[in-house]
Amino acid sequence: MTTKPNLDELFDRRTTLPDVIARERLAALVGLDEQKARLTKVLGLLINPVGLTQWAGKHHPKMNGLLKTILRRPPLVVMAGDVGSGKTELAETIGDAVARQEGIEITLFPLSLATRGQGRVGEMTQLISAAFDHAVDEASKLKASSGKARGGVILLVDEADALAQSRENTQMHHEDRAGVNAFIRGVDRLGNGSLPAAVIMCTNRLGALDPAVRRRAADILQFARPNDAQRRALLHGPLSELGFSAPQIEQLVGATGPNGKTPYGFTFSDLTQRLLPAIVLDAYPAQPATAARAMQIANSLLPTPPFQEKSL
Ligand SMILES: Nc1ncnc2c1ncn2[C@@H]1O[C@H](COP(=O)(O)OP(=O)(O)OP(=O)(O)O)[C@@H](O)[C@H]1O
Ligand SMILES: [Mg+2]
């Protein structure tokens, strides 16, 4: 890559929020209320700090140094955890809640590193730097000289596993290290410029998260497989639509949890993208879906194995 990648090459699905579809996708995420609330608050503050300043003025007029400490935090949130647990879905849609809460427009710039940056040496670093350049440019246009920002920017760095790798790892390729450094530099650039922007990083590998990245995170949210209550919440709607009774649904909640066969249960995506479609497609087109057959299907499906933190 000799020339700098342009906006369309870098980000394939830029979206402006609020947006009806994002709102629906966000609402469809079950059992993540705590994460949603925490993220909306943290991102709202990072992108539009005026709210906190006003709150301080009202309740704690002497709060000055502390206010600065909070407002100077690097604008980074890390989402870490198991596969198919809603990280990407939440990262792509939470901006809708933030935009509505703050009453501003937010543009989401999603950069997935899984499909990118694995080519020539230097490519990952260049991608990261270019992504931050664009985020800085966009956010600079939106920054207000005083008061509330005119809009905000969320830079999503998804599938950042390679980047999460610790710089302390001696085996780490020089190029990966440069990528981590470019990322850290980018976060600091946004923060030092007090720009209305925040970075969300998603990774499966919290254990390998670089200490310098971890230190900068205003919040680290962890994602896990759904527990009984979360599986119940997710399955209840769709299975009721099929006419299953509460006890039948409860049986399926049990069958999709950890058991004698596997010590781990189904992921959120195992439920939404494999089990539920399998129940419907098994019955279609000849007969209606039944709870008995659904149980057989649940018992025959193997949950996706958890992401193994490779020991480095
Ligand atoms: N909490 C949830 N409620 C409802 N559906 C969910 C939830 N979490 C995940 N899903 C479903 O699983 C799919 C995959 O989720 P997502 O892509 O966000 O996972 P992820 O955590 O990014 O996984 P990976 O680490 O593999 O990238 C989503 O499109 C959604 O349909
Ligand atoms: Mg993902």
Side-chain angles (χ1 to χ4, degrees):
M1 211 162 24
T2 46
T3 51
K4 207 159 116 172
N6 70 29
L7 265 178
D8 290 327
E9 287 164 344
L10 266 178
F11 310 107
D12 26 51
R13 290 163 291 116
R14 261 174 295 153
T15 33
T16 309
L17 307 160
D19 163 80
V20 185
I21 293 171
R23 172 150 74 171
E24 280 171 11
R25 283 171 61 201
L26 181 61
L29 289 172
V30 167
L32 298 179
D33 291 349
E34 195 215 312
Q35 276 101 332
K36 286 183 197 175
R38 251 167 74 184
L39 258 181
T40 310
K41 200 182 251 192
V42 170
L43 290 173
L45 267 186
L46 291 174
I47 293 174
N48 191 23
V50 174
L52 188 71
T53 311
Q54 286 168 345
W55 173 87
K58 185 168 163 205
H59 298 288
H60 305 281
K62 283 190 233 150
M63 181 175 159
N64 188 19
L66 176 58
L67 187 62
K68 285 203 182 105
T69 308
I70 295 171
L71 295 181
R72 251 193 235 128
R73 285 193 304 179
L76 171 68
V77 176
V78 174
M79 297 190 182
D82 211 343
V83 292
S85 56
K87 299 184 296 298
T88 299
E89 196 67 6
L90 186 58
E92 286 183 354
T93 58
I94 193 68
D96 182 78
V98 180
R100 288 175 203 272
Q101 176 186 280
E102 303 298 327
I104 55 176
E105 256 191 14
I106 290 180
T107 313
L108 174 78
F109 292 88
L111 175 75
S112 171
L113 290 182
T115 48
R116 314 293 186 89
Q118 283 160 359
R120 279 159 286 186
V121 168
E123 196 163 340
M124 163 108 86
T125 309
Q126 209 172 0
L127 275 175
I128 301 272
S129 304
F132 276 98
D133 284 348
H134 284 299
V136 168
D137 282 354
E138 288 301 310
S140 304
K141 288 184 211 156
L142 300 169
K143 187 179 171 180
S145 47
S146 71
K148 187 167 132 178
R150 286 191 297 275
V153 168
I154 293 179
L155 174 62
L156 167 59
V157 182
D158 203 359
E159 314 273 353
D161 291 4
L163 260 192
Q165 284 176 35
S166 169
R167 289 186 300 178
E168 285 163 2
N169 168 20
T170 47
Q171 312 245 298
M172 192 169 173
H173 191 279
H174 169 73
E175 158 58 7
D176 294 343
R177 222 177 280 260
V180 177
N181 289 336
F183 182 84
I184 291 169
R185 247 190 340 266
V187 170
D188 287 345
R189 265 176 83 196
L190 287 174
N192 294 337
S194 300
L195 296 173
V199 182
I200 301 179
M201 173 205 245
C202 296
T203 177
N204 295 121
R205 317 189 56 193
L206 184 59
L209 194 65
D210 187 278
V213 173
R214 184 185 283 257
R215 174 174 81 65
R216 279 167 175 75
D219 205 349
I220 298 181
L221 286 104
Q222 299 210 47
F223 291 74
R225 270 165 211 248
N227 59 23
D228 285 4
Q230 289 168 314
R231 291 197 310 284
R232 190 175 298 121
L234 193 136
L235 291 174
H236 189 269
L239 294 180
S240 302
E241 288 177 12
L242 294 179
F244 293 11
S245 68
Q248 288 170 334
I249 294 172
E250 208 45 43
Q251 260 195 317
L252 279 155
V253 169
T256 49
N259 55 43
K261 222 167 38 174
T262 50
Y264 46 85
F266 283 49
T267 66
F268 278 111
S269 59
D270 287 340
L271 297 173
T272 58
Q273 297 185 337
R274 294 172 61 213
L275 178 65
L276 290 172
I279 292 171
V280 171
L281 294 183
D282 172 75
Y284 173 86
Q287 65 249 333
T290 65
R293 184 67 194 131
M295 274 300 284
Q296 288 175 349
I297 295 170
N299 287 326
S300 69
L301 284 178
L302 286 178
T304 307
F307 186 87
Q308 299 285 339
E309 294 258 0
K310 275 179 257 155
S311 47
L312 296 163

